[in-house]
Amino acid sequence: MHDFEEGWHRCLDDLDRAGRRRRLRGIDRHGDGGLEIDGRSLLDFSSNDYLGLSQHPDLITRAGDFARRWGAGSGASRLVCGNILPFATVEEKLARGKQAEAALVFVSGFQANSSILPALFDGKVLGAEPLVFCDKLIHASLIQGCLAAGVRQIRFRHNDLGHLESLLEQHRNEIRPRFIITETVFSMDGDRADPAGLARLAERYGAFLYLDEAHATGVLGDGGFGLAKGMAGPRCLVMGTFSKALGGFGAYVACTKALRDYLINRCPGLIYATALPPAVLGAMDAALDLLPTLDGRRAHLAASAERFRQAMARVGLDTGASSTQIVPVMLGTEDRALTLAHALEAEGMLGVAIRPPTVPPGSSRIRFAFSARHTDEEIDRLIEAMIRLTGRRA
Ligand SMILES: Cc1ncc(COP(=O)(O)O)c(C=O)c1O
């Protein structure tokens, strides 16, 4: 008889030996945004709650209101009887904010990317198998979508439009539909794509542009509606999440009405998943109302990240091409990243070591994610610890 457990143990032992075994840690959160791990309070520089909205009273109240009005669960998928009224309100607010014809809410960002791409790449609908051009560093959920669709990814160097153009040019004579898949802000690097440049290339080569705004939504763009605000249309889909700066959970796409209807009919991640619970919709609804009023928080967040970046640059620590609230400090080896993350934690600060396979080998780093809740004093505490623990001189 096959010994299933033996295989799993062997795999875990291999990960242990390589120092790559991941473990879940119990986290306690305080209402003030504080974090506790194993009974120790930590200053959190790791979460994606960039605007601190997960603790905002409006989101918490409306989540409670919606749960009291519609219940704890939605009971069924949206196509059966789970499509409670707030979906329409949230999607209208989103479409307006994104300046798109329509919007569609999904259960999560991972589920959206991994199930929308196979629906878009359907060779029978397109009339031919597509050519799919992907930035080399796209998120695992987008890769999963490509894998599920069975397409070969043609990968261009990270944010390198010249390279993308040369690849598009190489395939110019193939009569197949083209897709360009990328993110507007990259989650592990904190750098930005050039949406206008991408749109120009997509236009020139007749490609469809798929933009993931998971880390731009709420933080960047006019009113916090992202870097691709106004871009969704017949040749562009913009997706994003509510799980990061919007403080809640779930995801959305902004697109045309036709594409919305197509996804409702052909996207298994929407068709075969239970609709989001009412409380989650309540938090979404409140976050969308707040978003245009948060310029102050966005400005403070941008200033905090810049304060940290400049301090790192002054002592020769490399923050890559970061220009957003996500600031990696590049350390190279896994060992260096892990040792520094542990040392920071011992001083009461949480910055998570990011290692392969999440990032390419040799580019291990600590990913610092700032929040509008951080004070200047807290940023300075982190700066001082980083300089001291890396043996730099201020
Ligand atoms: C770029 C990107 N897309 C999609 C996702 C998935 O979103 P969610 O966490 O809402 O499932 C993430 C999450 O980390 C992400 O970083």
Side-chain angles (χ1 to χ4, degrees):
M1 224 172 349
H2 187 80
D3 187 348
F4 295 98
E5 292 265 322
E6 187 275 330
W8 300 329
H9 282 304
R10 192 163 17 86
C11 172
L12 289 170
D13 290 344
D14 288 347
L15 288 170
D16 258 336
R17 266 190 297 279
R20 287 192 183 170
R21 180 162 173 176
R22 301 174 195 238
R23 287 191 169 79
L24 293 171
R25 304 171 81 188
I27 308 281
D28 198 7
R29 278 186 190 282
H30 308 295
D32 60 1
L35 189 80
E36 213 173 278
I37 303 184
D38 303 331
R40 293 198 52 222
S41 288
L42 295 173
L43 200 46
D44 179 15
F45 292 106
S46 70
S47 99
N48 300 323
D49 187 12
Y50 306 124
L51 296 173
L53 290 190
S54 76
Q55 307 293 326
H56 197 288
D58 288 12
L59 272 73
I60 295 168
T61 304
R62 209 166 305 170
D65 290 348
F66 277 32
R68 273 184 291 279
R69 168 68 179 81
W70 283 285
S74 58
S77 71
R78 293 185 65 180
L79 281 166
V80 177
C81 63
N83 195 41
I84 57 169
L85 298 174
F87 274 105
T89 321
V90 165
E91 286 171 352
E92 270 163 33
K93 287 180 185 176
L94 262 170
R96 211 175 316 127
K98 285 291 216 185
Q99 290 176 338
E101 216 177 86
L104 185 62
V105 164
F106 278 78
V107 167
S108 77
F110 196 98
Q111 194 169 25
N113 284 336
S114 59
S115 66
I116 292 170
L117 291 183
L120 285 180
F121 296 160
D122 187 332
K124 287 199 196 73
V125 176
L126 294 168
E129 295 304 320
L131 290 167
V132 180
F133 299 85
C134 301
D135 186 286
K136 198 165 160 259
L137 297 187
I138 53 170
H139 188 257
S141 54
L142 293 163
I143 295 174
Q144 203 59 42
C146 293
L147 290 172
V151 295
R152 183 175 77 86
Q153 293 175 55
I154 305 169
R155 300 174 104 196
F156 57 95
R157 285 193 290 272
H158 178 51
N159 274 344
D160 185 340
L161 294 193
H163 189 222
L164 170 60
E165 181 160 20
S166 72
L167 292 171
L168 286 161
E169 193 58 41
Q170 269 174 38
H171 292 271
R172 189 189 254 295
N173 295 328
E174 288 176 62
I175 306 170
R176 290 164 67 183
R178 289 150 171 70
F179 288 86
I180 300 169
I181 315 292
T182 192
E183 299 168 26
T184 55
V185 170
F186 280 79
S187 58
M188 296 299 141
D189 293 80
D191 55 352
R192 309 169 193 220
D194 168 9
L198 285 158
R200 273 195 298 277
L201 279 185
E203 175 72 26
R204 193 173 312 149
Y205 290 90
F208 187 96
L209 189 54
Y210 187 107
L211 296 173
D212 179 330
E213 294 236 83
H215 295 274
T217 304
V219 176
L220 297 170
D222 180 29
F225 278 100
L227 294 176
K229 177 174 174 168
M231 287 182 67
R235 292 192 163 275
C236 179
L237 174 152
V238 179
M239 73 76 67
T241 62
F242 286 87
S243 54
K244 305 184 196 305
L246 298 196
F249 187 70
Y252 66 86
V253 298
C255 58
T256 60
K257 285 184 179 148
L259 181 49
R260 180 178 187 274
D261 284 349
Y262 173 74
L263 293 174
I264 290 170
N265 284 276
R266 293 304 305 273
C267 181
L270 185 119
I271 301 169
Y272 302 109
T274 298
L276 283 169
V280 171
L281 286 159
M284 284 177 164
D285 193 55
L288 288 173
D289 287 347
L290 279 171
L291 213 51
T293 71
L294 300 176
D295 280 348
R297 285 195 192 207
R298 283 187 281 272
H300 176 62
L301 175 61
S304 295
E306 188 55 27
R307 187 184 188 92
F308 180 73
R309 257 190 310 269
Q310 284 188 9
M312 295 300 97
R314 277 197 296 276
V315 297
L317 286 168
D318 177 11
T319 56
S322 160
S323 67
T324 66
Q325 74 283 2
I326 301 165
V327 188
V329 173
M330 303 299 183
L331 295 158
T333 67
E334 297 181 43
D335 212 35
R336 280 193 74 200
L338 272 182
T339 307
L340 185 53
H342 287 148
L344 279 172
E345 197 170 319
E347 304 225 356
M349 281 167 273
L350 186 66
V352 173
I354 308 285
R355 302 175 289 150
T358 307
V359 291
S363 71
S364 291
R365 64 198 70 178
I366 298 188
R367 173 192 187 265
F368 294 102
F370 294 99
S371 159
R373 300 177 73 110
H374 290 132
T375 61
D376 287 353
E377 291 69 37
E378 288 170 337
I379 304 291
D380 288 346
R381 210 178 122 197
L382 174 65
I383 291 170
E384 186 279 320
M386 282 294 288
I387 294 173
R388 183 166 36 79
L389 293 171
T390 55
R392 310 278 157 151
R393 231 178 264 247

